[in-house]
Amino acid sequence: MFFNWKGIAIVLAVIAVVIGLCALDLRCSGGGDDIPAIARAKGEIEAGVREHRIQQADELARLARDMRVLAKRYVEKGETRKAHRAIGAAQELDRKIKELRGESK
């Protein structure tokens, strides 16, 4: 009988590759790994939003501090009405800072 040894070797090699892939448990669908990636991406987005809010709160705190310094200068010059406006603006900024940081009133 005549056997095609080359054909048999190719078929056995393909079967060995399939068995090897099954042994490694490789998946083509990737369905199970997508959910943790999505959760990780959501976590990173939320962290970015929190960081942005913190930066905004820091900028507003700096501005409120400047408003209080300005109010002090107005008081020294005797311009109490302008000083009251500056202090009111600083207090409004403090409210916005509390909202950004998620603090209760």
Side-chain angles (χ1 to χ4, degrees), residues 11-90:
V11 170
L12 289 175
V14 170
I15 291 173
V17 169
V18 170
I19 291 172
L21 289 176
C22 290
L24 292 175
D25 194 28
L26 296 178
R27 297 179 195 170
C28 295
S29 65
D33 293 339
D34 288 343
I35 294 172
I38 291 171
R40 185 176 62 242
K42 283 183 180 179
E44 290 174 359
I45 290 171
E46 290 172 0
V49 169
R50 277 192 305 268
E51 184 63 30
H52 182 68
R53 288 180 140 203
I54 290 170
Q55 287 177 352
Q56 282 182 330
D58 290 344
E59 291 174 10
L60 291 178
R62 200 172 312 122
L63 185 59
R65 197 169 41 248
D66 291 343
M67 294 300 278
R68 287 185 177 89
V69 169
L70 183 63
K72 185 176 179 182
R73 288 182 187 160
Y74 282 146
V75 168
E76 289 172 355
K77 291 180 181 179
E79 299 175 347
T80 57
R81 180 174 285 182
K82 289 182 181 179
H84 287 295
R85 287 182 186 160
I87 289 173

